[in-house]
Amino acid sequence: MAFLDDFPNDENGDVLRRMRDSGDNLSIARDIDFTVVFVSRDDVQKFGDHFHELGYRISAEKSGTVEDFPWDVVVVKNMVPTHGAITAFEAELQSVATPLGGRNDGWGCFEQ
């Protein structure tokens, strides 16, 4: 039986709880796609260059999915999907995105 208090009661905890409850083995590392959205192509380039230099796979496209933030950047990190690790990496992404006018827009991965 799943207990509601085994993950923090926040957005990442909710996602991880749903993943676990659907049968995902959260102890297995996998590629996790973190999306950060931006207003301008120049900011996308600066952000992408930063994380590319750190060895991450990066992709960018003008999707317009988020109103007022037409550019999506996906940073791929291979990791075990723990609440602490995901939250810490989102904070790292946001610390680089904020001065460029960007913001986190979620993460996702395939079930293991």
Side-chain angles (χ1 to χ4, degrees), residues 1-52:
M1 171 161 199
F3 295 98
L4 294 178
D5 61 349
D6 55 357
F7 292 108
N9 287 320
D10 61 14
E11 191 172 350
N12 288 337
D14 292 344
V15 172
L16 290 165
R17 194 176 298 107
R18 284 193 308 269
M19 290 169 64
R20 186 228 23 233
D21 291 349
S22 73
D24 196 330
N25 183 346
L26 297 179
S27 68
I28 298 174
R30 79 280 311 271
D31 286 346
I32 300 180
D33 296 344
F34 292 85
T35 302
V36 183
V37 293
F38 292 90
V39 173
S40 80
R41 186 173 193 268
D42 289 341
D43 295 329
V44 166
Q45 187 68 49
K46 292 172 190 170
F47 181 84
D49 287 349
H50 174 85
F51 284 96
H52 179 74

Side-chain angles (χ1 to χ4, degrees), residues 17-109:
R17 194 176 298 107
R18 284 193 308 269
M19 290 169 64
R20 186 228 23 233
D21 291 349
S22 73
D24 196 330
N25 183 346
L26 297 179
S27 68
I28 298 174
R30 79 280 311 271
D31 286 346
I32 300 180
D33 296 344
F34 292 85
T35 302
V36 183
V37 293
F38 292 90
V39 173
S40 80
R41 186 173 193 268
D42 289 341
D43 295 329
V44 166
Q45 187 68 49
K46 292 172 190 170
F47 181 84
D49 287 349
H50 174 85
F51 284 96
H52 179 74
E53 288 174 13
L54 294 175
Y56 294 103
R57 284 184 286 142
I58 309 296
S59 63
E61 70 174 330
K62 189 173 186 180
S63 72
T65 302
V66 177
E67 190 173 340
D68 299 327
F69 291 87
W71 289 93
D72 292 1
V73 179
V74 175
V75 179
V76 180
K77 181 172 183 173
N78 188 276
M79 62 192 294
V80 174
T82 66
H83 186 274
I86 288 169
T87 302
F89 193 61
E90 283 184 319
E92 181 180 348
L93 293 168
Q94 191 62 59
S95 73
V96 176
T98 296
L100 300 171
R103 67 174 176 80
N104 286 325
D105 192 48
W107 57 272
C109 59

